[in-house]
Amino acid sequence: LVEAVRKCGGRGLVDDAHHLQPGDLAPELEWTNTDGTPGQLLDLDGNPVRLEDLRGKLVWLNFWATWCPPCQAETPVLREMDERYRDQGLAIVGVAVQETTVDNVREYADRYGLGYPIAFDASADIFDLYRVYALPTQFFIDPSGVIRDVAQGPLTSESASGYIERILPPAG
């Protein structure tokens, strides 16, 4: 299996020698298309979402899907953490994957009052770049752009607060 992963370049598969882990610099949310043109992750309004623009903040990159029951269960936690920690330097970016349309994602975000940026990874390029294999998956990225923690599965308010408070930039 490991040889098969190496032969296909690991795209969409987990190879322990190559998956992102704490201590790695978080890859920018962009890719190169097969025709050589650049691709960029966009939010639901078509605006680019770039980690570089969030330097100096703790970034919680949350890979999720509207149809995923554990992701649905985690939605109130994300909303609560956004409201509690945004003014202290937390920037949540939801990355919706394996969805049919951007309108489905927008409807979900509106229905649950999600105020943080949500991007639509229609091509699964960012999903593959980050080697996500479970939903939800969270990457906690420190203010300098380094991955500090990776968590698979839904977080509770208590566990989310723990991840956030270990990394949050000092006040002032």
Side-chain angles (χ1 to χ4, degrees):
L1 176 61
V2 171
E3 189 58 31
V5 169
R6 285 192 186 111
K7 283 182 182 174
C8 74
R11 186 168 170 85
L13 299 173
V14 175
D15 177 348
D16 285 338
H18 296 99
H19 75 278
L20 294 172
Q21 55 193 347
D24 291 344
L25 186 64
E28 190 53 78
L29 305 174
E30 56 192 21
W31 62 90
T32 302
N33 293 306
T34 54
D35 65 0
T37 59
Q40 174 70 54
L41 190 64
L42 303 176
D43 70 14
L44 299 181
D45 296 321
N47 301 309
V49 179
R50 297 181 40 80
L51 293 177
E52 182 178 300
D53 296 337
L54 299 172
R55 288 289 190 265
K57 296 181 179 281
L58 160 59
V59 177
W60 176 354
L61 197 59
N62 172 258
F63 288 87
W64 66 287
T66 61
W67 50 263
C68 162
C71 302
Q72 294 165 357
E74 187 180 61
T75 296
V77 173
L78 286 149
R79 188 177 54 235
E80 176 190 348
M81 295 300 109
D82 180 49
E83 291 168 0
R84 185 185 307 171
Y85 293 104
R86 179 185 292 200
D87 291 341
Q88 297 175 48
L90 174 65
I92 297 175
V93 176
V95 181
V97 298
Q98 301 173 354
E99 298 287 350
T100 310
T101 68
V102 70
D103 290 333
N104 290 352
V105 179
R106 186 186 327 276
E107 179 183 307
Y108 185 94
D110 290 345
R111 181 176 342 127
Y112 293 101
L114 304 181
Y116 52 86
I118 296 175
F120 182 55
D121 188 18
S123 61
D125 285 297
I126 301 303
F127 182 83
D128 289 345
L129 178 66
Y130 274 77
R131 303 213 192 277
V132 175
Y133 62 93
L135 294 177
T137 292
Q138 354 282 331
F139 288 84
F140 290 91
I141 303 167
D142 75 15
S144 63
V146 174
I147 297 169
R148 291 281 301 275
D149 283 301
V150 180
Q152 278 125 15
L155 299 180
T156 64
S157 293
E158 294 76 24
S159 62
S161 289
Y163 283 111
I164 292 166
E165 291 178 6
R166 279 196 299 272
I167 309 168
L168 203 61

